[in-house]
Amino acid sequence: MQKIIFATNNEYKVKELRSVLPEQMQILSLKEAGILKDIPEPYETLEENAREKADVIHAMTGENCFSEDTGLIVDALAGAPGVKSARYAGEQATNKENIQLLLNNLENNENRTAYFQTIICLIQDGAHVYFEGKCKGSIIKEERGEKGFGYDAVFVPEGSEKTFAEMDLEEKNKYSHRKKASTKLIAFLNDQYGQD
């Protein structure tokens, strides 16, 4: 079985990726790999932040690994919260605080279009390989649903009437930006290592 380190401690992201991985691949979170390090995301692009996290773990372990960074891009807010999605309301902000600030900033705006973007950076034998996934949708005016994390309770993907937070993982994966990026990652790894 192929094992690879996923440079995150976000249990929701780990759970989402495990739900789409083939049986012959196993990902280890930082905690599961015995790495107790909080990696900053200091850059202004998703690509740079994803690369930074992967570089730090690769430097520590020498192992192939991958990381991802995801942002919510809201058209009416000139792309905000974007790369600062997880810290939109402050460095220690909760999901609720981030959502509340987003809704406040969109309060009188009829343009609610937005999209999620995920960038995965894989370090494979010393080389960096990137995979992207996007999900277009819109921001509703109040939270709905108890599942998911981040902005899921106010984001409705195109083609659905449910928020991400109203969907189970199987349904969310039909639309998910992270699923689209991870599918490309898995196809690449399968091509590298074969199906067994």
Side-chain angles (χ1 to χ4, degrees), residues 2 39 54 57-58 65 80 83 86 92 112 116 130 132-133 138 152 172 176 185:
Q2 182 198 346
I39 307 169
I57 299 309
H58 185 259
C65 61
V83 73
Q92 304 300 321
R112 316 288 292 194
F116 276 112
Y130 295 90
E132 180 191 35
S138 59
D152 284 0
K172 183 179 180 181
S176 169
L185 168 69

Side-chain angles (χ1 to χ4, degrees), residues 15-176:
K15 185 178 179 182
E16 282 190 6
L17 271 176
R18 282 186 175 147
S19 75
V20 298
L21 279 177
E23 288 183 5
Q24 73 270 21
M25 290 183 195
Q26 181 183 0
I27 62 170
L28 301 174
S29 69
L30 291 179
K31 183 178 180 181
E32 290 165 338
I35 299 169
L36 304 174
K37 185 176 180 67
D38 188 27
I39 307 169
E41 299 176 336
Y43 297 107
E44 294 301 314
T45 69
L46 300 175
E47 290 89 346
E48 288 174 302
N49 281 331
R51 179 172 179 142
E52 173 72 9
K53 290 183 279 188
D55 280 344
V56 168
I57 299 309
H58 185 259
M60 290 177 67
T61 66
E63 302 286 336
N64 292 338
C65 61
F66 70 95
S67 181
E68 63 89 58
D69 201 18
T70 294
L72 174 66
I73 291 85
V74 180
D75 294 330
L77 301 178
V83 73
K84 301 201 181 300
S85 291
R87 307 175 300 281
Y88 191 39
E91 285 297 323
Q92 304 300 321
T94 64
N95 291 336
K96 289 275 188 187
E97 289 168 340
N98 286 331
I99 286 173
Q100 192 56 57
L101 180 59
L102 176 67
L103 295 181
N104 289 346
N105 288 341
L106 280 174
E107 189 170 11
N108 297 312
N109 204 308
E110 292 306 310
N111 179 7
R112 316 288 292 194
T113 58
Y115 64 90
F116 276 112
Q117 181 181 27
T118 289
I119 301 289
I120 292 175
C121 176
L122 168 71
I123 298 183
Q124 175 77 11
D125 300 327
H128 296 82
V129 188
Y130 295 90
F131 309 92
E132 180 191 35
K134 283 186 179 180
C135 177
K136 295 180 179 179
S138 59
I139 305 299
I140 59 172
K141 295 185 177 181
E142 57 186 27
E143 294 182 56
R144 291 201 324 249
E146 301 295 327
K147 301 169 187 171
F149 65 104
Y151 298 89
D152 284 0
V154 292
F155 183 83
V156 176
E158 282 185 0
S160 177
E161 294 181 355
K162 293 182 181 179
T163 68
F164 272 162
E166 294 176 299
M167 299 179 183
D168 58 28
L169 263 181
E170 184 177 357
E171 186 173 5
K172 183 179 180 181
N173 281 337
K174 294 176 183 176
Y175 306 95
S176 169

